Amino acid sequence: MPLQKTDKLVFVYNADSGFFNLLADMAHKIVSPETYNCQLCMLTHGHLGMREQWKAYLESIKAELEFLHRDEFLKHYGQHDAALPALFLLRNGEAELFMSEDEINHCETLEAMITQLDKRLAGLD
């Protein structure tokens, strides 16, 4: 079934929210990017914010989008067995895994992430 107006794509980063966590994550990405544990963030954000290519791509998606950190996702949607980072499709109040940690982690570039997400979205049609 294609994306519906009531569907939501929920992107969940493998990091916690908060100012000090943000500072620690930024430092980790700069000092030791090979050990940083959130490929979603590495691909979609530079040192100063969201990459323009990603922002433009997101504007083309015909669904509501939500971006959450690990702790925020748990607070809003409860426990889920999926490893993070991950992308969930929220449909009829149910969060189902849409793009797994493994799929995201195998994307080495932002272009690969966009291609993978396009394939997943096309599979809904």
Side-chain angles (χ1 to χ4, degrees):
M1 178 188 321
L3 280 175
Q4 306 296 308
K5 288 186 182 231
T6 57
D7 291 344
K8 182 190 292 188
L9 291 173
V10 182
F11 295 81
V12 184
Y13 301 103
N14 189 26
D16 288 325
S17 63
F19 181 70
F20 291 109
N21 288 324
L22 172 66
L23 291 178
D25 284 343
M26 287 174 62
H28 191 169
K29 282 171 59 175
I30 293 168
V31 174
S32 185
E34 65 280 353
T35 64
Y36 189 68
N37 63 358
C38 187
Q39 184 69 353
L40 179 60
C41 184
M42 287 293 291
L43 293 171
T44 62
H45 288 72
H47 300 306
L48 300 176
M50 187 180 286
R51 298 182 194 281
E52 288 301 318
Q53 180 185 3
W54 181 241
K55 189 181 294 187
Y57 173 74
L58 293 173
E59 290 173 2
S60 74
I61 296 176
K62 305 285 191 250
E64 185 178 348
L65 306 175
E66 184 174 26
F67 300 87
L68 298 173
H69 293 92
R70 174 180 46 225
D71 59 321
E72 296 166 326
F73 180 75
L74 291 173
K75 180 180 176 183
H76 292 286
Y77 298 104
Q79 186 64 38
H80 201 286
D81 292 336
L84 300 177
L87 173 56
F88 295 87
L89 174 62
L90 190 66
R91 181 173 273 173
N92 301 322
E94 298 279 329
E96 61 184 72
L97 185 62
F98 189 69
M99 197 168 172
S100 72
E101 173 203 33
D102 191 51
E103 290 173 291
I104 293 169
N105 286 345
H106 277 89
C107 296
E108 295 183 13
T109 64
L110 180 56
E111 292 78 12
M113 173 74 180
I114 290 171
T115 298
Q116 181 67 17
L117 185 49
D118 276 342
K119 287 179 186 176
R120 300 290 306 182
L121 290 168
L124 291 174
D125 292 336

